[in-house]
Amino acid sequence: MTSSTPAEPTQREVCLDTPFTDQKPGTSGLRKSSKQFEQPNYLESFVEAALRTLPGTDGGTLVVGGDGRYGNVRAIDVILRMAAAHGLGKVIVTTGGILSTPAASHLIRSKNAIGGIILSASHNPGGPDGDFGVKVNGANGGPTPASYTDAVFECTKTLSHYSIVDATPISLEGPGQHSIGAMSVEVIDGVDDFVTLMQQLFNFDEIKALLRNDFPIAFDAMHAVTGPYAKRILEGLLGAPAGSVRNGVPLEDFGKGHPDPNLTYAHDLAEILLQGDGYRFGAACDGDGDRNMILGHHCFVNPSDSLAVLTANATLAPAYAKGLTGVARSMPTSAAVDVVAKDLGINCYETPTGWKFFGNLLDAGQITLCGEESFGTGSDHVREKDGLWAVLFWLQILAKRQCSVAEIMAEHWKRFGRHYYSRHDYEAVDSTAAHGLYDRLEAMLPSLKGQPFAGGTIRDADNFSYTDPIDHSVTNGQGLRILLEDGSRVVIRLSGTGTKGATIRVYLESYVPNSGDLNQDPQVALGEMIRAINDLAEIEQRTGMDRPTVIT
């Protein structure tokens, strides 16, 4: 462990010629291109607004880290020196600046911090020509609410200066105690606390026995943040053979890849699991470690189904052996978990997209598990979705049930029926064209009720709104829904997670009871619905794209 006490730093104020007007955070913080964040004073402006708005900065403790992408280390240095200027008592940062989003959530909670600054653009590409992001989490470890991000945005629009101290950069090469003026800086191993938490939730001995019993696995860290965590847990503690963790070294540009764990961007992993015979289980996580993809031998697990399976089998894990208080899913996520919750006699909540909407339910003890169709699942152990947690949960279930992933899915559908489900993403669409498509369809909604659609009849059509059952806040405009009388539905949303153009997401769902055909290809089962929404929304005509960029 190293320590340093540099010379007394000099604090100064840096005047801005004009405030930035484009720093409105989305559901997961401020995401822009790396080049935009490299503009003089751009990063500093947003950090200044975040620190001015965050409660408890005077003498408080802050957690800082990121996914290792290009710009991570420079941003940490800036944040440390600005934190010192704003009177923080302590900042906890991690070796190499590497800290997954769920691990950050856990540190905030366990260290009684006022919050954390997580440097990540999640699943977006990295590098000088990629993206960068800054997200602020609150004292509960979860994403800050809209009231906070709105206040930050308002602050950036009128900002005239920011405060920073001049100080020697803190070494992040190893654990150590440092200081910047009166503020202490503790550099810790970012993996240790998270590993300890996972050992409390799952039975590592049972999983270890599974992996030693002719059960080869492949985990793709996608050259992103989960590499060190997966190596420590899967290969180190659970005894998976060396090399089970692929692409395990975090790189600034993610090896020039796209760290989004789906069948398109994790195609190498998908190929060896879906086409080959060498592995029984496969998984991947995204840039900041909060998303996951689960695969079995010749079997892909839809994220909506994954949440339902975890719910149905939750008591097999030590942490959930006494049962669940409730579950929640985002609105675009399929209703597969709803059916399980009804069978278990527990509440199931439908929320807008964005993990922060689960926060009130988790803090109030109303739910134990929650998830989104965008490859995110989690529980009340942290206030973020957690990719490696989901991987370990699946391994725990497999260790207990002693069967294959495909067998688990087949038995699940035989009991609960199957929600055929798919998401079609049209990425980097011209913003004007995307909004034109969306606005046209929204204007059509009132006239769609009772109309024929995809071989059925439209029961209702609306733009989803949500009233939080805890604080009664109302969130409107969360996605266009076309709901059919047989329970099938189509949802269309414009995504705010990209940085180039707009992304149109089309969600398709059709329920088949356990007495129906449970073994269709989802794209075939949903074929009529796909054609119907393409015609109604004029997707090909308005986007100029004859097929989605990504199908999941």
Side-chain angles (χ1 to χ4, degrees):
M1 178 174 288
T2 61
S3 62
S4 64
T5 306
E8 190 68 23
T10 301
Q11 182 167 328
R12 58 191 172 93
E13 291 187 352
V14 178
C15 294
L16 302 175
D17 293 334
T18 182
F20 294 98
T21 59
D22 64 343
Q23 294 191 331
K24 181 175 177 59
T27 57
S28 296
L30 180 67
R31 292 181 187 172
K32 300 288 183 180
S33 69
S34 298
K35 286 183 170 59
Q36 284 176 282
F37 268 103
E38 288 185 312
Q39 295 178 74
N41 303 322
Y42 193 86
L43 169 67
E44 291 84 349
S45 170
F46 187 75
V47 173
E48 176 74 20
L51 292 177
R52 287 191 187 186
T53 310
L54 187 66
T57 53
D58 188 15
T61 297
L62 187 71
V63 171
V64 177
D67 60 18
R69 68 177 60 229
Y70 175 80
N72 194 63
V73 173
R74 180 184 80 88
I76 289 174
D77 176 58
V78 167
I79 293 168
L80 289 176
R81 293 188 290 121
M82 293 186 70
H86 281 266
L88 270 293
K90 181 179 183 179
V91 174
I92 298 171
V93 67
T94 52
T95 53
I98 297 295
L99 183 63
S100 77
T101 291
S105 179
H106 175 56
L107 279 179
I108 293 168
R109 294 167 62 80
S110 63
K111 303 295 184 181
N112 295 316
I114 62 168
I117 298 180
I118 302 172
L119 303 168
S120 173
S122 186
H123 54 292
N124 292 13
D129 297 318
D131 298 331
F132 192 76
V134 181
K135 183 175 78 162
V136 181
N137 280 31
N140 75 335
T144 45
S147 58
Y148 173 82
T149 53
D150 289 346
V152 170
F153 181 46
E154 291 303 314
C155 183
T156 63
K157 292 191 295 185
T158 59
L159 202 63
S160 61
H161 68 276
Y162 64 84
S163 299
I164 194 169
V165 300
D166 294 322
T168 303
I170 297 294
S171 172
L172 303 180
E173 292 184 3
Q177 298 285 343
H178 310 268
S179 65
I180 300 177
M183 185 185 80
S184 67
V185 178
E186 183 181 8
V187 182
I188 66 171
D189 184 310
V191 178
D192 286 344
D193 289 81
F194 181 81
V195 170
T196 299
L197 177 62
M198 293 301 106
Q199 289 174 308
Q200 295 168 355
L201 300 177
F202 304 109
N203 189 320
F204 273 36
D205 288 338
E206 291 177 348
I207 300 174
K208 189 173 185 178
L210 171 74
L211 299 186
R212 285 183 171 179
N213 187 27
D214 190 28
F215 197 88
I217 68 170
F219 177 87
D220 191 347
M222 307 190 82
H223 286 303
V225 76
T226 55
Y229 297 84
K231 281 182 174 290
R232 179 85 63 87
I233 295 173
L234 297 177
E235 295 183 2
L237 294 173
L238 296 176
S244 296
V245 176
R246 298 163 172 248
N247 304 317
V249 178
L251 300 176
E252 288 190 339
D253 63 353
F254 305 118
K256 303 189 183 303
H258 192 147
D260 194 355
N262 58 45
L263 295 175
T264 299
Y265 296 124
H267 53 83
D268 290 345
L269 179 73
E271 183 176 353
I272 64 173
L273 265 298
L274 301 182
Q275 305 298 327
D277 295 316
Y279 296 92
R280 300 282 302 279
F281 178 83
C285 289
D286 71 330
D288 66 329
D290 60 0
R291 300 182 185 215
N292 72 92
M293 177 172 69
I294 302 297
L295 299 161
H297 180 232
H298 296 183
C299 177
F300 164 70
V301 181
N302 184 288
S304 295
D305 281 341
S306 182
L307 175 62
V309 168
L310 297 185
T311 300
N313 294 273
T315 55
L316 299 182
Y320 314 106
K322 295 181 179 180
L324 309 176
T325 58
V327 292
R329 63 169 175 86
S330 65
M331 179 274 288
T333 303
S334 93
V337 73
D338 302 46
V339 178
V340 178
K342 183 178 180 180
D343 183 78
L344 296 177
I346 59 176
N347 288 332
C348 181
Y349 299 88
E350 182 181 34
T351 73
T353 295
W355 208 259
K356 61 187 176 184
F357 291 104
F358 295 136
N360 277 356
L361 295 168
L362 289 164
D363 288 344
Q366 296 301 300
I367 61 172
T368 309
L369 300 187
C370 45
E372 297 180 331
E373 51 70 38
S374 54
F375 294 85
T377 39
S379 85
D380 56 2
H381 71 289
V382 290
R383 294 298 182 267
E384 290 278 5
K385 47 186 175 279
D386 190 342
L388 268 175
W389 167 89
V391 173
L392 290 170
F393 206 152
W394 265 94
L395 289 173
Q396 177 76 82
I397 293 169
L398 292 165
K400 284 285 193 180
R401 294 188 55 175
Q402 293 292 307
C403 63
S404 69
V405 174
E407 287 170 332
I408 286 177
M409 296 312 307
E411 291 176 13
H412 184 88
W413 294 328
K414 187 176 181 180
R415 178 180 175 186
F416 297 106
R418 182 173 183 181
H419 290 255
Y420 283 104
Y421 182 87
S422 187
R423 188 182 92 189
H424 290 193
D425 289 359
Y426 297 83
E427 297 179 345
V429 178
D430 175 80
S431 292
T432 300
H435 284 277
L437 181 155
Y438 191 88
D439 294 344
R440 171 183 172 273
L441 184 60
E442 183 174 17
M444 295 172 64
L445 294 178
S447 65
L448 294 180
K449 187 175 180 179
Q451 296 297 311
F453 184 86
T457 302
I458 297 176
R459 173 177 57 83
D460 203 359
D462 64 11
N463 194 333
F464 179 68
S465 64
Y466 174 70
T467 300
D468 191 297
I470 308 303
D471 64 14
H472 308 295
S473 60
V474 177
T475 305
N476 295 312
Q478 292 301 298
L480 310 182
R481 303 190 300 174
I482 298 173
L483 310 173
L484 305 190
E485 290 181 347
D486 66 356
S488 301
R489 64 176 185 153
V490 178
V491 175
I492 292 186
R493 298 182 65 250
L494 292 181
S495 172
T497 59
T499 60
K500 298 175 183 176
T503 296
I504 300 172
R505 302 199 195 281
V506 182
Y507 310 84
L508 307 119
E509 179 178 1
S510 178
Y511 176 66
V512 174
N514 57 10
S515 59
D517 186 351
L518 304 175
N519 298 304
Q520 302 177 68
D521 181 316
Q523 302 309 312
V524 174
L526 297 166
E528 190 171 4
M529 188 177 293
I530 293 169
R531 291 186 289 273
I533 190 60
N534 284 350
D535 290 342
L536 180 66
E538 299 180 348
I539 294 176
E540 181 175 347
Q541 173 184 334
R542 291 175 174 271
T543 66
M545 302 171 69
D546 60 1
R547 62 178 58 87
T549 312
V550 178
I551 296 177
T552 50

